[in-house]
């Protein structure tokens, strides 16, 4: 495995781990404080986006505005913000609010299915055999992990499942053109700021009356670690990996969310969850396998 692919795998996995941690943190905040998930999504987009733009400005100066020099870049950036960034975060947090972090990971992990389908349709070719095997292994592992082997407990709303899957697929596929010409931090930062615009009124009017210190710290983590850094690492992985590979590595998200739920929230971890976690880890090794070249 070459160095670039190794770097891409690490970026994608680290981004997914940070995202999974934010799900557990959000579950604790929602269940212990009367915080509106829509408000939290708006705040995390505005704050994390601002931090990324400041970072990019310190690094590149006025070059951060060059992304707006062409109409096509502006269009892709708006599409990324409104069709990828906002839906993926909003559906994820709503799923946690009305269920739990484990359920939300299932919703979010439907994304790779849409990614593989979109790439197959766009290129008019069938997915690689290793991609099909990887997604099946990861999907089975995720199901075992969050349902404890009892599929009857998987009560998900079809609408939220489709929207979460489409959201994840969109934020993986849409920014590819932008990432070829611009830094991932810059693309992510502007997309987050643009995505926060529809939430402006909610951010001001729906502020929680009071927040305890623990929840404040968790919200800071959700914004910095679970939003800014997770997206930055995940999108950086796209510079070294194919979008479908990066999407499938997001299976580390439910693994992280479940492990943290066990350690911090006292959730029981049985045989089915163990097998599921191992299957999810297996996808990284499957994607690391070299592709066999055809002999002519």
């Amino acid at each position: 495995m070459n160095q670039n692919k190794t770097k891409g795998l690490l970026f994608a996995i680290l981004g997914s781990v940070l995202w999974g941690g934010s799900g557990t943190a959000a579950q604790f905040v929602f269940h212990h404080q009367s915080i509106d998930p829509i408000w939290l999504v708006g705040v995390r987009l505005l704050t994390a986006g601002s931090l990324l733009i400041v970072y990019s400005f310190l690094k590149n100066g006025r070059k951060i505005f060059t992304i707006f020099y062409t109409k096509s870049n502006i269009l892709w950036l708006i599409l990324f913000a409104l069709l990828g960034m906002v839906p993926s975060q909003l559906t994820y947090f709503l799923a946690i609010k009305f269920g739990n972090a484990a359920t939300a990971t299932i919703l979010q992990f439907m994304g790779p299915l849409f990614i593989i389908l979109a790439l197959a349709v766009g290129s008019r070719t069938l997915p690689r055999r290793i991609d099909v095997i990887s997604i099946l292994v990861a999907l089975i592992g995720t199901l075992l992990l969050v349902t404890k082997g009892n599929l009857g407990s998987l009560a998900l709303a079809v609408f939220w499942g489709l929207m979460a899957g489409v959201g994840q697929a969109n934020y993986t596929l849409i920014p590819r053109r932008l990432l070829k010409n611009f830094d991932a931090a810059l693309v992510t930062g502007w997309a987050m700021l643009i995505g926060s615009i529809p939430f402006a009124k909610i951010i001001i009017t729906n502020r929680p009356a009071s927040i305890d210190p623990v929840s404040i710290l968790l919200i800071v983590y959700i914004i910095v670690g679970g939003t800014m850094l997770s997206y930055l690492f995940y999108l950086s992985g796209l510079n070294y990996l194919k979008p479908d590979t990066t999407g499938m590595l997001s299976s580390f998200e439910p693994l992280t969310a479940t492990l943290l739920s066990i350690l911090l929230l006292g959730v029981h971890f049985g045989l089915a969850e163990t097998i599921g976690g191992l299957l999810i880890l297996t996808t990284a090794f499957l994607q690391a396998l070299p592709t066999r070249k055809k002999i002519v």
Side-chain angles (χ1 to χ4, degrees):
M1 184 171 60
N2 61 53
Q3 186 175 0
N4 285 339
K5 188 169 185 179
T6 301
K7 187 181 297 184
L9 288 171
L10 291 175
F11 278 148
I13 291 172
L14 183 55
S16 297
V17 168
L18 290 172
W19 180 271
S22 73
T24 304
Q27 180 177 336
F28 180 89
V29 170
F30 291 150
H31 291 179
H32 290 80
Q33 298 272 261
S34 57
I35 293 178
D36 182 1
I38 299 178
W39 175 84
L40 185 54
V41 169
V43 169
R44 80 188 295 202
L45 286 174
L46 177 61
T47 308
S50 299
L51 290 173
L52 283 173
I53 293 302
V54 170
Y55 166 78
S56 297
F57 180 77
L58 294 175
K59 183 179 179 182
N60 301 307
R62 295 181 180 272
K63 291 182 180 180
I64 64 172
F65 299 107
T66 58
I67 196 171
F68 297 104
Y69 285 2
T70 62
K71 293 181 179 179
S72 62
N73 287 342
I74 296 174
L75 176 61
W76 282 112
L77 193 58
I78 292 174
L79 290 175
F80 178 39
L82 301 182
L83 298 182
M85 190 73 69
V86 172
S88 65
Q89 294 203 35
L90 186 57
T91 54
Y92 184 67
F93 271 19
L94 287 173
I96 294 174
K97 172 68 175 179
F98 297 108
N100 52 60
T103 299
T105 56
I106 278 289
L107 291 168
Q108 194 76 15
F109 191 68
M110 293 178 70
L113 298 176
F114 289 95
I115 293 172
I116 290 178
L117 179 61
L119 292 176
V121 172
S123 61
R124 297 182 181 180
T125 58
L126 293 174
R128 298 181 307 163
R129 183 182 301 175
I130 191 66
D131 291 336
V132 175
I133 294 174
S134 294
I135 194 61
L136 288 176
V137 169
L139 185 57
I140 293 172
T142 305
L143 287 171
L144 289 173
L145 192 63
V146 303
T147 64
K148 301 177 175 60
N150 179 16
L151 296 182
S153 66
L154 188 63
L156 302 179
V158 175
F159 174 76
W160 288 120
L162 291 175
M163 287 301 295
V166 171
Q168 191 207 29
N170 283 348
Y171 79 64
T172 301
L173 294 172
I174 292 176
R176 285 187 298 164
R177 295 188 181 185
L178 293 173
L179 291 173
K180 290 181 180 179
N181 301 308
F182 301 98
D183 184 67
L186 182 66
V187 174
T188 306
W190 282 125
M192 286 182 175
L193 279 182
I194 294 172
S196 70
I197 294 175
F199 298 91
K201 183 178 179 180
I202 297 174
I203 292 173
I204 298 172
T205 60
N206 287 23
R207 289 179 297 177
S210 62
I211 308 178
D212 62 60
V214 173
S215 295
I216 291 176
L217 290 176
L218 290 176
I219 290 175
V220 170
Y221 166 73
I222 290 170
I223 292 172
V224 178
T227 305
M228 183 183 75
L229 294 179
S230 66
Y231 272 99
L232 181 57
F233 283 127
Y234 184 84
L235 292 176
S236 295
L238 290 174
N239 292 323
Y240 306 99
L241 300 174
K242 294 177 61 178
D244 48 354
T245 301
T246 309
M248 283 183 283
L249 289 173
S250 65
S251 58
F252 276 82
E253 176 193 336
L255 177 63
T256 302
T258 302
L259 289 177
L260 289 178
S261 295
I262 293 169
L263 296 174
L264 302 177
L265 304 180
V267 177
H268 176 67
F269 194 75
L271 178 61
E273 297 95 307
T274 303
I275 296 175
L278 292 175
L279 288 175
I280 291 172
L281 288 172
T282 301
T283 62
F285 295 99
L286 289 175
Q287 287 300 308
L289 293 175
T291 303
R292 181 179 299 176
K293 296 183 179 179
K294 293 183 180 180
I295 301 177
V296 181

